Amino acid sequence: MTLRDIAKALDLSVSTVSKALRDSYEIGGETKKRVVDYARANHYQPNRMAKSLKEGKSGSIGVVICSIDNSFVSRMLDGIDGACSAAGYDMIIMQSKESLFQEKSCLKQLEARGVEGVLISPSAETMNFEHLSALRDQGIPLVLFDRICDDFPSDQVGIDNHKGAFQATQHLIANGYRRIAMLNIDPGVHFASQRSNGYADALKANRIAYRKEYVRFCRCSDNEGLKDCVDESIRSLLELAEPPDALFTATDQLSTHSLSVMHQLGCRIPQDIALIGFSNTELAGMLTPPLSTVYQPAFEIGQRAAEKLIKLIRGKNLQDNFYETVRLPIRLDIRNSSSRTKNQAVV
């Protein structure tokens, strides 16, 4: 099935069929529907290579993520893939491994491959966005997803990080915990800073003193280094003269690593220390104990970000110097790890 076949069957010109399949504003809605329905019913598949050569477009979108071995990232990629497939775009996925140097290398490779737009979840080392501005100056549309940043003017899709951390800390306080520690990544990363602020503001709202000795940061970019930092951080917290009775962890990996370390140290959760954190693992309810989490709509984040980028590529709903930040709602999934047992005294 070719464009010419469709045109002959519907008594239309090849040009009209081509524009209808590209969703061009030049073609009326009724004609578009006739063409699309006929093409779908007859299993029409465009010749992507010929189209790319003719139009000077690759039909591909670049996606830069921190790491693919992460359930939260995998769900976002599912959302991106669905939106791209529906719009006829291919994905080129690259990993920064939380390295700014690697992130810049990924972007250069994507630019060389002629991607039509880029979706990026910035690395933990990315605190300056000049390289992203430079990419956009080259005419390549760009959307940040997941790790959004108020300091960088761009279209972005994520969550309200401050609110998620505030609600998680507030939940612990409502359960009677007062000595609440926090484990986070580098505070220079914008989303991590917002989560730190949410934790601190929840303490302040409940007139609980912010204690620096209860706050730990893991600045490691590689997974093994992160595990070691979590181990060291939790050990040092438990060795304090007045150890915390609860822990809020600010990222997916920190949450799962913390649970593992606590088990290795023989901690009873929540009897010795309660735990709640950002995590999207589908196994949270099957862990021992079931892990209380701040759930982020990963699939929807990826889907909305991809849909936004496709609109930018196609020049729809554009306004000069106008950028939109979409913050999708989070929810608390409360399980046993942050509960208060009957024999626990409220201090």
Side-chain angles (χ1 to χ4, degrees):
M1 176 65 61
T2 66
L3 291 178
R4 194 174 299 280
D5 295 330
I6 298 174
K8 183 177 180 180
L10 299 179
D11 195 24
L12 298 171
S13 69
V14 173
S15 174
T16 297
V17 171
S18 177
K19 290 177 180 179
L21 291 174
R22 295 202 311 269
D23 195 23
S24 170
Y25 68 90
E26 300 176 65
I27 306 301
E30 185 177 339
T31 301
K32 282 183 187 178
K33 187 175 188 307
R34 283 182 63 210
V35 171
V36 171
D37 287 349
Y38 186 87
R40 184 178 292 119
N42 290 275
H43 310 292
Y44 168 74
Q45 293 291 333
N47 186 321
R48 297 295 295 273
M49 183 171 292
K51 182 180 178 182
S52 297
L53 291 171
K54 182 178 180 180
E55 299 180 359
K57 297 178 180 179
S58 66
S60 60
I61 287 174
V63 184
V64 182
I65 54 173
C66 54
S67 177
I68 203 168
D69 59 346
N70 181 308
S71 61
F72 176 62
V73 172
S74 296
R75 287 293 293 156
M76 289 194 295
L77 289 175
D78 281 344
I80 293 170
D81 179 62
C84 288
S85 295
Y89 287 89
D90 296 324
M91 291 189 338
I92 300 177
I93 303 170
M94 308 200 78
Q95 303 180 79
S96 69
K97 296 293 186 180
E98 301 289 18
S99 162
L100 176 58
F101 177 82
Q102 180 70 11
E103 179 176 290
K104 290 180 178 180
S105 175
C106 291
L107 292 172
K108 287 180 180 178
Q109 292 181 59
L110 290 173
E111 185 179 1
R113 293 189 186 191
V115 295
E116 295 187 43
V118 170
L119 293 168
I120 181 168
S121 180
S123 77
E125 294 182 355
T126 303
M127 299 176 197
N128 183 299
F129 295 87
E130 290 181 358
H131 58 300
L132 299 184
S133 295
L135 185 72
R136 193 165 56 197
D137 290 342
Q138 296 296 320
I140 300 177
L142 176 77
V143 174
L144 265 63
F145 69 102
D146 178 31
R147 296 177 175 181
I148 59 179
C149 178
D150 295 334
D151 298 330
F152 178 56
S154 173
D155 289 287
Q156 309 185 41
V157 179
I159 63 162
D160 188 331
N161 290 292
H162 179 279
K163 185 176 182 180
F166 185 98
Q167 290 184 355
T169 308
Q170 180 66 44
H171 161 70
L172 292 172
I173 295 170
N175 272 5
Y177 296 103
R178 294 296 181 270
R179 302 191 309 276
I180 302 171
M182 179 186 68
L183 185 56
N184 203 343
I185 64 169
D186 196 318
V189 178
H190 187 270
F191 83 88
S193 173
Q194 290 294 302
R195 294 178 186 181
S196 290
N197 292 340
Y199 159 82
D201 287 346
L203 296 179
K204 184 178 179 180
N206 289 274
R207 298 182 179 180
I208 299 174
Y210 178 94
R211 299 172 61 169
K212 290 184 178 180
E213 68 269 26
Y214 282 172
V215 177
R216 296 289 187 277
F217 294 104
C218 287
R219 295 174 169 85
C220 308
S221 59
D222 63 285
N223 193 45
E224 287 305 313
L226 189 68
K227 287 181 181 178
D228 292 340
C229 182
V230 171
D231 184 282
E232 181 181 345
S233 296
I234 291 179
R235 287 177 186 274
S236 66
L237 286 170
L238 296 177
E239 290 170 358
L240 292 173
E242 191 176 26
D245 58 5
L247 175 64
F248 160 62
T249 49
T251 73
D252 189 283
Q253 288 179 303
L254 291 177
S255 299
T256 51
H257 289 338
S258 293
L259 185 63
S260 176
V261 170
M262 288 177 180
H263 280 311
Q264 292 173 22
L265 295 177
C267 290
R268 297 173 304 160
I269 307 169
Q271 293 91 335
D272 297 329
I273 183 168
L275 176 64
I276 187 171
F278 280 80
S279 181
N280 273 59
T281 175
E282 296 177 357
L283 300 177
M286 293 180 269
L287 298 173
T288 305
L291 179 64
S292 292
T293 59
V294 181
Y295 175 84
Q296 306 169 80
F299 182 90
E300 290 78 7
I301 289 173
Q303 182 182 55
R304 291 283 294 274
E307 290 172 348
K308 179 63 177 174
L309 181 64
I310 291 165
K311 286 182 178 179
L312 293 176
I313 292 171
R314 293 178 172 176
K316 294 182 178 181
N317 302 330
L318 294 182
Q319 297 182 35
D320 290 339
N321 299 318
F322 174 79
Y323 299 110
E324 179 185 22
T325 295
V326 177
R327 289 184 172 85
L328 300 178
I330 56 93
R331 73 168 187 259
L332 294 188
D333 286 341
I334 303 305
R335 303 184 180 94
N336 293 353
S337 71
S338 62
S339 65
R340 179 167 286 280
T341 59
K342 294 180 180 179
N343 61 345
Q344 280 179 294
V346 177
V347 179

